[in-house]
PDB file of all heavy atoms in Angstrom:
ATOM      1  N   SER A 194     -21.266   4.313  -5.730  1.00  0.00           N
ATOM      2  CA  SER A 194     -20.073   5.147  -5.864  1.00  0.00           C
ATOM      3  C   SER A 194     -19.076   4.817  -4.760  1.00  0.00           C
ATOM      4  O   SER A 194     -19.472   4.521  -3.625  1.00  0.00           O
ATOM      5  CB  SER A 194     -20.444   6.632  -5.795  1.00  0.00           C
ATOM      6  OG  SER A 194     -21.302   6.992  -6.851  1.00  0.00           O
ATOM      7  N   PHE A 195     -17.801   4.874  -5.097  1.00  0.00           N
ATOM      8  CA  PHE A 195     -16.749   4.551  -4.139  1.00  0.00           C
ATOM      9  C   PHE A 195     -15.564   5.477  -4.369  1.00  0.00           C
ATOM     10  O   PHE A 195     -15.439   6.108  -5.410  1.00  0.00           O
ATOM     11  CB  PHE A 195     -16.288   3.099  -4.293  1.00  0.00           C
ATOM     12  CG  PHE A 195     -17.364   2.076  -4.104  1.00  0.00           C
ATOM     13  CD1 PHE A 195     -18.094   1.601  -5.191  1.00  0.00           C
ATOM     14  CD2 PHE A 195     -17.659   1.592  -2.845  1.00  0.00           C
ATOM     15  CE1 PHE A 195     -19.079   0.656  -5.029  1.00  0.00           C
ATOM     16  CE2 PHE A 195     -18.650   0.641  -2.666  1.00  0.00           C
ATOM     17  CZ  PHE A 195     -19.360   0.171  -3.762  1.00  0.00           C
ATOM     18  N   ARG A 196     -14.668   5.520  -3.377  1.00  0.00           N
ATOM     19  CA  ARG A 196     -13.381   6.197  -3.512  1.00  0.00           C
ATOM     20  C   ARG A 196     -12.290   5.150  -3.636  1.00  0.00           C
ATOM     21  O   ARG A 196     -12.333   4.103  -2.996  1.00  0.00           O
ATOM     22  CB  ARG A 196     -13.102   7.087  -2.300  1.00  0.00           C
ATOM     23  CG  ARG A 196     -13.779   8.437  -2.334  1.00  0.00           C
ATOM     24  CD  ARG A 196     -13.359   9.257  -1.126  1.00  0.00           C
ATOM     25  NE  ARG A 196     -11.904   9.447  -1.060  1.00  0.00           N
ATOM     26  CZ  ARG A 196     -11.315  10.626  -0.902  1.00  0.00           C
ATOM     27  NH1 ARG A 196     -12.056  11.714  -0.810  1.00  0.00           N
ATOM     28  NH2 ARG A 196     -10.016  10.726  -0.828  1.00  0.00           N
ATOM     29  N   SER A 197     -11.281   5.468  -4.435  1.00  0.00           N
ATOM     30  CA  SER A 197     -10.218   4.494  -4.678  1.00  0.00           C
ATOM     31  C   SER A 197      -9.323   4.268  -3.474  1.00  0.00           C
ATOM     32  O   SER A 197      -8.704   3.211  -3.350  1.00  0.00           O
ATOM     33  CB  SER A 197      -9.356   4.970  -5.855  1.00  0.00           C
ATOM     34  OG  SER A 197      -8.644   6.158  -5.511  1.00  0.00           O
ATOM     35  N   ASP A 198      -9.235   5.255  -2.569  1.00  0.00           N
ATOM     36  CA  ASP A 198      -8.262   5.186  -1.483  1.00  0.00           C
ATOM     37  C   ASP A 198      -8.865   4.753  -0.150  1.00  0.00           C
ATOM     38  O   ASP A 198      -8.247   4.946   0.904  1.00  0.00           O
ATOM     39  CB  ASP A 198      -7.552   6.526  -1.313  1.00  0.00           C
ATOM     40  CG  ASP A 198      -8.522   7.685  -1.103  1.00  0.00           C
ATOM     41  OD1 ASP A 198      -9.742   7.469  -1.235  1.00  0.00           O
ATOM     42  OD2 ASP A 198      -8.052   8.801  -0.803  1.00  0.00           O
ATOM     43  N   THR A 199     -10.050   4.166  -0.160  1.00  0.00           N
ATOM     44  CA  THR A 199     -10.684   3.739   1.098  1.00  0.00           C
ATOM     45  C   THR A 199     -10.778   2.228   1.223  1.00  0.00           C
ATOM     46  O   THR A 199     -11.377   1.726   2.163  1.00  0.00           O
ATOM     47  CB  THR A 199     -12.099   4.332   1.214  1.00  0.00           C
ATOM     48  OG1 THR A 199     -12.893   3.913   0.085  1.00  0.00           O
ATOM     49  CG2 THR A 199     -12.039   5.854   1.244  1.00  0.00           C
ATOM     50  N   ARG A 200     -10.192   1.521   0.302  1.00  0.00           N
ATOM     51  CA  ARG A 200     -10.287   0.066   0.326  1.00  0.00           C
ATOM     52  C   ARG A 200      -9.396  -0.506   1.431  1.00  0.00           C
ATOM     53  O   ARG A 200      -8.247  -0.100   1.587  1.00  0.00           O
ATOM     54  CB  ARG A 200      -9.844  -0.492  -1.028  1.00  0.00           C
ATOM     55  CG  ARG A 200     -10.086  -1.978  -1.203  1.00  0.00           C
ATOM     56  CD  ARG A 200      -9.663  -2.411  -2.601  1.00  0.00           C
ATOM     57  NE  ARG A 200      -9.906  -3.819  -2.777  1.00  0.00           N
ATOM     58  CZ  ARG A 200      -9.090  -4.776  -2.308  1.00  0.00           C
ATOM     59  NH1 ARG A 200      -8.004  -4.429  -1.666  1.00  0.00           N
ATOM     60  NH2 ARG A 200      -9.376  -6.041  -2.486  1.00  0.00           N
ATOM     61  N   PRO A 201      -9.900  -1.481   2.222  1.00  0.00           N
ATOM     62  CA  PRO A 201      -9.079  -2.050   3.298  1.00  0.00           C
ATOM     63  C   PRO A 201      -7.917  -2.863   2.747  1.00  0.00           C
ATOM     64  O   PRO A 201      -8.010  -3.437   1.655  1.00  0.00           O
ATOM     65  CB  PRO A 201     -10.070  -2.945   4.054  1.00  0.00           C
ATOM     66  CG  PRO A 201     -11.117  -3.298   3.044  1.00  0.00           C
ATOM     67  CD  PRO A 201     -11.246  -2.082   2.172  1.00  0.00           C
ATOM     68  N   PRO A 202      -6.800  -2.917   3.473  1.00  0.00           N
ATOM     69  CA  PRO A 202      -5.635  -3.679   3.003  1.00  0.00           C
ATOM     70  C   PRO A 202      -5.881  -5.176   3.087  1.00  0.00           C
ATOM     71  O   PRO A 202      -6.743  -5.646   3.840  1.00  0.00           O
ATOM     72  CB  PRO A 202      -4.527  -3.240   3.963  1.00  0.00           C
ATOM     73  CG  PRO A 202      -5.255  -2.888   5.222  1.00  0.00           C
ATOM     74  CD  PRO A 202      -6.553  -2.274   4.779  1.00  0.00           C
ATOM     75  N   TYR A 203      -5.110  -5.931   2.318  1.00  0.00           N
ATOM     76  CA  TYR A 203      -5.190  -7.387   2.365  1.00  0.00           C
ATOM     77  C   TYR A 203      -4.640  -7.909   3.686  1.00  0.00           C
ATOM     78  O   TYR A 203      -3.599  -7.460   4.164  1.00  0.00           O
ATOM     79  CB  TYR A 203      -4.400  -8.004   1.208  1.00  0.00           C
ATOM     80  CG  TYR A 203      -4.203  -9.491   1.372  1.00  0.00           C
ATOM     81  CD1 TYR A 203      -5.213 -10.382   1.024  1.00  0.00           C
ATOM     82  CD2 TYR A 203      -3.024 -10.002   1.929  1.00  0.00           C
ATOM     83  CE1 TYR A 203      -5.050 -11.747   1.205  1.00  0.00           C
ATOM     84  CE2 TYR A 203      -2.855 -11.371   2.095  1.00  0.00           C
ATOM     85  CZ  TYR A 203      -3.868 -12.236   1.742  1.00  0.00           C
ATOM     86  OH  TYR A 203      -3.716 -13.589   1.935  1.00  0.00           O
ATOM     87  N   LEU A 204      -5.351  -8.871   4.276  1.00  0.00           N
ATOM     88  CA  LEU A 204      -4.897  -9.575   5.469  1.00  0.00           C
ATOM     89  C   LEU A 204      -5.067 -11.066   5.223  1.00  0.00           C
ATOM     90  O   LEU A 204      -6.154 -11.499   4.819  1.00  0.00           O
ATOM     91  CB  LEU A 204      -5.699  -9.154   6.709  1.00  0.00           C
ATOM     92  CG  LEU A 204      -5.568  -7.692   7.146  1.00  0.00           C
ATOM     93  CD1 LEU A 204      -6.549  -7.387   8.272  1.00  0.00           C
ATOM     94  CD2 LEU A 204      -4.139  -7.396   7.592  1.00  0.00           C
ATOM     95  N   PRO A 205      -4.023 -11.883   5.405  1.00  0.00           N
ATOM     96  CA  PRO A 205      -4.127 -13.307   5.122  1.00  0.00           C
ATOM     97  C   PRO A 205      -5.298 -13.957   5.859  1.00  0.00           C
ATOM     98  O   PRO A 205      -5.453 -13.803   7.069  1.00  0.00           O
ATOM     99  CB  PRO A 205      -2.781 -13.862   5.615  1.00  0.00           C
ATOM    100  CG  PRO A 205      -1.846 -12.698   5.537  1.00  0.00           C
ATOM    101  CD  PRO A 205      -2.680 -11.496   5.887  1.00  0.00           C
ATOM    102  N   GLY A 206      -6.127 -14.667   5.106  1.00  0.00           N
ATOM    103  CA  GLY A 206      -7.246 -15.384   5.709  1.00  0.00           C
ATOM    104  C   GLY A 206      -8.360 -14.503   6.209  1.00  0.00           C
ATOM    105  O   GLY A 206      -9.235 -14.970   6.947  1.00  0.00           O
ATOM    106  N   GLN A 207      -8.388 -13.236   5.812  1.00  0.00           N
ATOM    107  CA  GLN A 207      -9.416 -12.314   6.316  1.00  0.00           C
ATOM    108  C   GLN A 207     -10.068 -11.533   5.175  1.00  0.00           C
ATOM    109  O   GLN A 207     -10.330 -10.338   5.283  1.00  0.00           O
ATOM    110  CB  GLN A 207      -8.811 -11.357   7.343  1.00  0.00           C
ATOM    111  CG  GLN A 207      -8.278 -12.058   8.584  1.00  0.00           C
ATOM    112  CD  GLN A 207      -7.781 -11.084   9.632  1.00  0.00           C
ATOM    113  OE1 GLN A 207      -8.419 -10.062   9.911  1.00  0.00           O
ATOM    114  NE2 GLN A 207      -6.625 -11.387  10.220  1.00  0.00           N
ATOM    115  N   LEU A 208     -10.363 -12.243   4.066  1.00  0.00           N
ATOM    116  CA  LEU A 208     -11.058 -11.595   2.961  1.00  0.00           C
ATOM    117  C   LEU A 208     -12.535 -11.383   3.278  1.00  0.00           C
ATOM    118  O   LEU A 208     -13.179 -10.510   2.703  1.00  0.00           O
ATOM    119  CB  LEU A 208     -10.939 -12.446   1.695  1.00  0.00           C
ATOM    120  CG  LEU A 208      -9.553 -12.510   1.039  1.00  0.00           C
ATOM    121  CD1 LEU A 208      -9.627 -13.375  -0.200  1.00  0.00           C
ATOM    122  CD2 LEU A 208      -9.063 -11.127   0.680  1.00  0.00           C
ATOM    123  N   ILE A 209     -13.081 -12.201   4.181  1.00  0.00           N
ATOM    124  CA  ILE A 209     -14.485 -12.082   4.548  1.00  0.00           C
ATOM    125  C   ILE A 209     -14.588 -11.156   5.752  1.00  0.00           C
ATOM    126  O   ILE A 209     -13.997 -11.404   6.802  1.00  0.00           O
ATOM    127  CB  ILE A 209     -15.094 -13.454   4.882  1.00  0.00           C
ATOM    128  CG1 ILE A 209     -14.800 -14.456   3.751  1.00  0.00           C
ATOM    129  CG2 ILE A 209     -16.582 -13.324   5.118  1.00  0.00           C
ATOM    130  CD1 ILE A 209     -15.371 -14.054   2.414  1.00  0.00           C
ATOM    131  N   ARG A 210     -15.343 -10.081   5.603  1.00  0.00           N
ATOM    132  CA  ARG A 210     -15.462  -9.086   6.662  1.00  0.00           C
ATOM    133  C   ARG A 210     -16.920  -8.768   6.930  1.00  0.00           C
ATOM    134  O   ARG A 210     -17.801  -9.048   6.106  1.00  0.00           O
ATOM    135  CB  ARG A 210     -14.710  -7.807   6.269  1.00  0.00           C
ATOM    136  CG  ARG A 210     -13.193  -7.972   6.135  1.00  0.00           C
ATOM    137  CD  ARG A 210     -12.565  -6.660   5.696  1.00  0.00           C
ATOM    138  NE  ARG A 210     -11.112  -6.680   5.780  1.00  0.00           N
ATOM    139  CZ  ARG A 210     -10.314  -7.019   4.792  1.00  0.00           C
ATOM    140  NH1 ARG A 210     -10.830  -7.403   3.649  1.00  0.00           N
ATOM    141  NH2 ARG A 210      -8.997  -7.004   4.938  1.00  0.00           N
ATOM    142  N   ASP A 211     -17.166  -8.163   8.096  1.00  0.00           N
ATOM    143  CA  ASP A 211     -18.517  -7.721   8.441  1.00  0.00           C
ATOM    144  C   ASP A 211     -18.876  -6.488   7.629  1.00  0.00           C
ATOM    145  O   ASP A 211     -18.057  -5.588   7.439  1.00  0.00           O
ATOM    146  CB  ASP A 211     -18.613  -7.400   9.932  1.00  0.00           C
ATOM    147  CG  ASP A 211     -18.555  -8.657  10.794  1.00  0.00           C
ATOM    148  OD1 ASP A 211     -19.160  -9.662  10.390  1.00  0.00           O
ATOM    149  OD2 ASP A 211     -17.900  -8.624  11.846  1.00  0.00           O
ATOM    150  N   ASP A 212     -20.127  -6.454   7.160  1.00  0.00           N
ATOM    151  CA  ASP A 212     -20.654  -5.299   6.453  1.00  0.00           C
ATOM    152  C   ASP A 212     -21.572  -4.541   7.410  1.00  0.00           C
ATOM    153  O   ASP A 212     -22.685  -4.992   7.692  1.00  0.00           O
ATOM    154  CB  ASP A 212     -21.430  -5.749   5.213  1.00  0.00           C
ATOM    155  CG  ASP A 212     -21.979  -4.571   4.415  1.00  0.00           C
ATOM    156  OD1 ASP A 212     -21.748  -3.418   4.825  1.00  0.00           O
ATOM    157  OD2 ASP A 212     -22.634  -4.817   3.385  1.00  0.00           O
ATOM    158  N   PRO A 213     -21.136  -3.410   7.943  1.00  0.00           N
ATOM    159  CA  PRO A 213     -21.936  -2.687   8.940  1.00  0.00           C
ATOM    160  C   PRO A 213     -23.256  -2.157   8.388  1.00  0.00           C
ATOM    161  O   PRO A 213     -24.157  -1.823   9.154  1.00  0.00           O
ATOM    162  CB  PRO A 213     -21.015  -1.533   9.371  1.00  0.00           C
ATOM    163  CG  PRO A 213     -20.067  -1.352   8.238  1.00  0.00           C
ATOM    164  CD  PRO A 213     -19.868  -2.713   7.646  1.00  0.00           C
ATOM    165  N   SER A 214     -23.398  -2.104   7.076  1.00  0.00           N
ATOM    166  CA  SER A 214     -24.626  -1.575   6.488  1.00  0.00           C
ATOM    167  C   SER A 214     -25.682  -2.637   6.276  1.00  0.00           C
ATOM    168  O   SER A 214     -26.798  -2.323   5.855  1.00  0.00           O
ATOM    169  CB  SER A 214     -24.306  -0.903   5.144  1.00  0.00           C
ATOM    170  OG  SER A 214     -23.839  -1.864   4.202  1.00  0.00           O
ATOM    171  N   ALA A 215     -25.361  -3.912   6.550  1.00  0.00           N
ATOM    172  CA  ALA A 215     -26.311  -5.004   6.320  1.00  0.00           C
ATOM    173  C   ALA A 215     -26.630  -5.707   7.633  1.00  0.00           C
ATOM    174  O   ALA A 215     -25.944  -5.528   8.648  1.00  0.00           O
ATOM    175  CB  ALA A 215     -25.745  -5.994   5.310  1.00  0.00           C
ATOM    176  N   HIS A 216     -27.669  -6.518   7.609  1.00  0.00           N
ATOM    177  CA  HIS A 216     -28.113  -7.251   8.786  1.00  0.00           C
ATOM    178  C   HIS A 216     -27.933  -8.757   8.566  1.00  0.00           C
ATOM    179  O   HIS A 216     -28.014  -9.229   7.431  1.00  0.00           O
ATOM    180  CB  HIS A 216     -29.584  -6.955   9.081  1.00  0.00           C
ATOM    181  CG  HIS A 216     -29.867  -5.496   9.333  1.00  0.00           C
ATOM    182  ND1 HIS A 216     -29.514  -4.866  10.505  1.00  0.00           N
ATOM    183  CD2 HIS A 216     -30.446  -4.556   8.548  1.00  0.00           C
ATOM    184  CE1 HIS A 216     -29.869  -3.591  10.443  1.00  0.00           C
ATOM    185  NE2 HIS A 216     -30.439  -3.381   9.263  1.00  0.00           N
ATOM    186  N   PRO A 217     -27.687  -9.520   9.649  1.00  0.00           N
ATOM    187  CA  PRO A 217     -27.550 -10.967   9.519  1.00  0.00           C
ATOM    188  C   PRO A 217     -28.805 -11.556   8.883  1.00  0.00           C
ATOM    189  O   PRO A 217     -29.905 -11.022   9.086  1.00  0.00           O
ATOM    190  CB  PRO A 217     -27.377 -11.432  10.980  1.00  0.00           C
ATOM    191  CG  PRO A 217     -26.871 -10.216  11.692  1.00  0.00           C
ATOM    192  CD  PRO A 217     -27.528  -9.052  11.005  1.00  0.00           C
ATOM    193  N   PRO A 218     -28.705 -12.653   8.095  1.00  0.00           N
ATOM    194  CA  PRO A 218     -27.462 -13.397   7.808  1.00  0.00           C
ATOM    195  C   PRO A 218     -26.675 -12.857   6.633  1.00  0.00           C
ATOM    196  O   PRO A 218     -25.782 -13.518   6.135  1.00  0.00           O
ATOM    197  CB  PRO A 218     -28.013 -14.795   7.495  1.00  0.00           C
ATOM    198  CG  PRO A 218     -29.322 -14.507   6.811  1.00  0.00           C
ATOM    199  CD  PRO A 218     -29.893 -13.303   7.500  1.00  0.00           C
ATOM    200  N   ASN A 219     -27.031 -11.672   6.146  1.00  0.00           N
ATOM    201  CA  ASN A 219     -26.362 -11.092   4.974  1.00  0.00           C
ATOM    202  C   ASN A 219     -25.351 -10.026   5.363  1.00  0.00           C
ATOM    203  O   ASN A 219     -25.093  -9.097   4.601  1.00  0.00           O
ATOM    204  CB  ASN A 219     -27.407 -10.500   4.024  1.00  0.00           C
ATOM    205  CG  ASN A 219     -28.387 -11.532   3.526  1.00  0.00           C
ATOM    206  OD1 ASN A 219     -28.000 -12.624   3.124  1.00  0.00           O
ATOM    207  ND2 ASN A 219     -29.673 -11.192   3.548  1.00  0.00           N
ATOM    208  N   SER A 220     -24.784 -10.143   6.559  1.00  0.00           N
ATOM    209  CA  SER A 220     -23.890  -9.098   7.057  1.00  0.00           C
ATOM    210  C   SER A 220     -22.419  -9.385   6.776  1.00  0.00           C
ATOM    211  O   SER A 220     -21.544  -8.718   7.309  1.00  0.00           O
ATOM    212  CB  SER A 220     -24.088  -8.931   8.571  1.00  0.00           C
ATOM    213  OG  SER A 220     -23.850 -10.156   9.239  1.00  0.00           O
ATOM    214  N   LYS A 221     -22.140 -10.390   5.958  1.00  0.00           N
ATOM    215  CA  LYS A 221     -20.766 -10.706   5.584  1.00  0.00           C
ATOM    216  C   LYS A 221     -20.540 -10.339   4.127  1.00  0.00           C
ATOM    217  O   LYS A 221     -21.432 -10.477   3.285  1.00  0.00           O
ATOM    218  CB  LYS A 221     -20.486 -12.204   5.782  1.00  0.00           C
ATOM    219  CG  LYS A 221     -20.612 -12.691   7.211  1.00  0.00           C
ATOM    220  CD  LYS A 221     -19.478 -12.198   8.086  1.00  0.00           C
ATOM    221  CE  LYS A 221     -19.554 -12.800   9.478  1.00  0.00           C
ATOM    222  NZ  LYS A 221     -18.449 -12.330  10.342  1.00  0.00           N
ATOM    223  N   GLN A 222     -19.348  -9.844   3.833  1.00  0.00           N
ATOM    224  CA  GLN A 222     -19.006  -9.519   2.456  1.00  0.00           C
ATOM    225  C   GLN A 222     -17.569  -9.935   2.189  1.00  0.00           C
ATOM    226  O   GLN A 222     -16.733  -9.979   3.091  1.00  0.00           O
ATOM    227  CB  GLN A 222     -19.175  -8.032   2.177  1.00  0.00           C
ATOM    228  CG  GLN A 222     -18.250  -7.134   2.977  1.00  0.00           C
ATOM    229  CD  GLN A 222     -18.435  -5.659   2.659  1.00  0.00           C
ATOM    230  OE1 GLN A 222     -19.321  -5.297   1.905  1.00  0.00           O
ATOM    231  NE2 GLN A 222     -17.604  -4.811   3.235  1.00  0.00           N
ATOM    232  N   MET A 223     -17.309 -10.255   0.927  1.00  0.00           N
ATOM    233  CA  MET A 223     -15.959 -10.620   0.514  1.00  0.00           C
ATOM    234  C   MET A 223     -15.327  -9.432  -0.177  1.00  0.00           C
ATOM    235  O   MET A 223     -15.914  -8.831  -1.076  1.00  0.00           O
ATOM    236  CB  MET A 223     -15.982 -11.819  -0.444  1.00  0.00           C
ATOM    237  CG  MET A 223     -14.613 -12.185  -1.005  1.00  0.00           C
ATOM    238  SD  MET A 223     -14.687 -13.554  -2.176  1.00  0.00           S
ATOM    239  CE  MET A 223     -12.975 -13.587  -2.752  1.00  0.00           C
ATOM    240  N   THR A 224     -14.142  -9.059   0.268  1.00  0.00           N
ATOM    241  CA  THR A 224     -13.400  -7.989  -0.378  1.00  0.00           C
ATOM    242  C   THR A 224     -12.751  -8.549  -1.636  1.00  0.00           C
ATOM    243  O   THR A 224     -11.889  -9.423  -1.565  1.00  0.00           O
ATOM    244  CB  THR A 224     -12.316  -7.424   0.552  1.00  0.00           C
ATOM    245  OG1 THR A 224     -12.927  -6.946   1.751  1.00  0.00           O
ATOM    246  CG2 THR A 224     -11.572  -6.275  -0.118  1.00  0.00           C
ATOM    247  N   ILE A 225     -13.187  -8.080  -2.804  1.00  0.00           N
ATOM    248  CA  ILE A 225     -12.669  -8.599  -4.061  1.00  0.00           C
ATOM    249  C   ILE A 225     -11.198  -8.209  -4.204  1.00  0.00           C
ATOM    250  O   ILE A 225     -10.856  -7.027  -4.118  1.00  0.00           O
ATOM    251  CB  ILE A 225     -13.472  -8.053  -5.251  1.00  0.00           C
ATOM    252  CG1 ILE A 225     -14.926  -8.522  -5.149  1.00  0.00           C
ATOM    253  CG2 ILE A 225     -12.868  -8.494  -6.577  1.00  0.00           C
ATOM    254  CD1 ILE A 225     -15.826  -7.926  -6.201  1.00  0.00           C
ATOM    255  N   PRO A 226     -10.297  -9.164  -4.419  1.00  0.00           N
ATOM    256  CA  PRO A 226      -8.879  -8.841  -4.563  1.00  0.00           C
ATOM    257  C   PRO A 226      -8.633  -7.976  -5.794  1.00  0.00           C
ATOM    258  O   PRO A 226      -9.356  -8.036  -6.787  1.00  0.00           O
ATOM    259  CB  PRO A 226      -8.217 -10.218  -4.717  1.00  0.00           C
ATOM    260  CG  PRO A 226      -9.224 -11.183  -4.185  1.00  0.00           C
ATOM    261  CD  PRO A 226     -10.564 -10.600  -4.488  1.00  0.00           C
ATOM    262  N   VAL A 227      -7.600  -7.150  -5.725  1.00  0.00           N
ATOM    263  CA  VAL A 227      -7.185  -6.311  -6.841  1.00  0.00           C
ATOM    264  C   VAL A 227      -5.683  -6.467  -7.030  1.00  0.00           C
ATOM    265  O   VAL A 227      -5.009  -7.123  -6.239  1.00  0.00           O
ATOM    266  CB  VAL A 227      -7.564  -4.827  -6.592  1.00  0.00           C
ATOM    267  CG1 VAL A 227      -9.070  -4.633  -6.597  1.00  0.00           C
ATOM    268  CG2 VAL A 227      -6.969  -4.336  -5.282  1.00  0.00           C
ATOM    269  N   LEU A 228      -5.158  -5.843  -8.080  1.00  0.00           N
ATOM    270  CA  LEU A 228      -3.731  -5.951  -8.362  1.00  0.00           C
ATOM    271  C   LEU A 228      -2.885  -5.494  -7.196  1.00  0.00           C
ATOM    272  O   LEU A 228      -1.841  -6.079  -6.896  1.00  0.00           O
ATOM    273  CB  LEU A 228      -3.380  -5.122  -9.599  1.00  0.00           C
ATOM    274  CG  LEU A 228      -3.825  -5.660 -10.953  1.00  0.00           C
ATOM    275  CD1 LEU A 228      -3.381  -4.715 -12.051  1.00  0.00           C
ATOM    276  CD2 LEU A 228      -3.286  -7.049 -11.185  1.00  0.00           C
ATOM    277  N   GLU A 229      -3.328  -4.442  -6.531  1.00  0.00           N
ATOM    278  CA  GLU A 229      -2.585  -3.914  -5.389  1.00  0.00           C
ATOM    279  C   GLU A 229      -2.320  -4.991  -4.352  1.00  0.00           C
ATOM    280  O   GLU A 229      -1.241  -5.054  -3.754  1.00  0.00           O
ATOM    281  CB  GLU A 229      -3.364  -2.755  -4.770  1.00  0.00           C
ATOM    282  CG  GLU A 229      -2.663  -2.092  -3.594  1.00  0.00           C
ATOM    283  CD  GLU A 229      -3.521  -1.006  -2.969  1.00  0.00           C
ATOM    284  OE1 GLU A 229      -4.584  -0.691  -3.537  1.00  0.00           O
ATOM    285  OE2 GLU A 229      -3.123  -0.488  -1.918  1.00  0.00           O
ATOM    286  N   ASP A 230      -3.292  -5.868  -4.128  1.00  0.00           N
ATOM    287  CA  ASP A 230      -3.126  -6.952  -3.161  1.00  0.00           C
ATOM    288  C   ASP A 230      -2.002  -7.905  -3.566  1.00  0.00           C
ATOM    289  O   ASP A 230      -1.260  -8.413  -2.719  1.00  0.00           O
ATOM    290  CB  ASP A 230      -4.430  -7.748  -3.022  1.00  0.00           C
ATOM    291  CG  ASP A 230      -5.543  -6.935  -2.388  1.00  0.00           C
ATOM    292  OD1 ASP A 230      -5.237  -6.061  -1.562  1.00  0.00           O
ATOM    293  OD2 ASP A 230      -6.714  -7.166  -2.725  1.00  0.00           O
ATOM    294  N   LEU A 231      -1.877  -8.163  -4.870  1.00  0.00           N
ATOM    295  CA  LEU A 231      -0.894  -9.138  -5.337  1.00  0.00           C
ATOM    296  C   LEU A 231       0.539  -8.672  -5.121  1.00  0.00           C
ATOM    297  O   LEU A 231       1.460  -9.475  -5.170  1.00  0.00           O
ATOM    298  CB  LEU A 231      -1.116  -9.447  -6.817  1.00  0.00           C
ATOM    299  CG  LEU A 231      -2.499  -9.990  -7.184  1.00  0.00           C
ATOM    300  CD1 LEU A 231      -2.546 -10.382  -8.648  1.00  0.00           C
ATOM    301  CD2 LEU A 231      -2.896 -11.161  -6.308  1.00  0.00           C
ATOM    302  N   GLY A 232       0.728  -7.378  -4.882  1.00  0.00           N
ATOM    303  CA  GLY A 232       2.060  -6.870  -4.578  1.00  0.00           C
ATOM    304  C   GLY A 232       2.269  -6.591  -3.115  1.00  0.00           C
ATOM    305  O   GLY A 232       3.352  -6.152  -2.711  1.00  0.00           O
TER     306      GLY A 232
END
């Protein structure tokens, strides 16, 4: 489950972020782009 208004904003070259809920080497996640990012 997620909330629509908690997604981080787009930052150039920073789609890959740390996932605080996971442990290395699986502690990286990619923020899937959405339409909001394209504008």
Side-chain angles (χ1 to χ4, degrees):
S194 298
F195 301 92
R196 279 183 58 129
S197 67
D198 55 352
T199 58
R200 188 178 181 280
Y203 168 81
L204 296 173
Q207 297 184 43
L208 289 181
I209 309 299
R210 295 178 170 92
D211 289 320
D212 181 0
S214 65
H216 301 286
N219 300 314
S220 58
K221 298 288 185 180
Q222 64 179 5
M223 175 182 174
T224 302
I225 297 174
V227 293
L228 287 180
E229 182 183 353
D230 293 329
L231 302 185

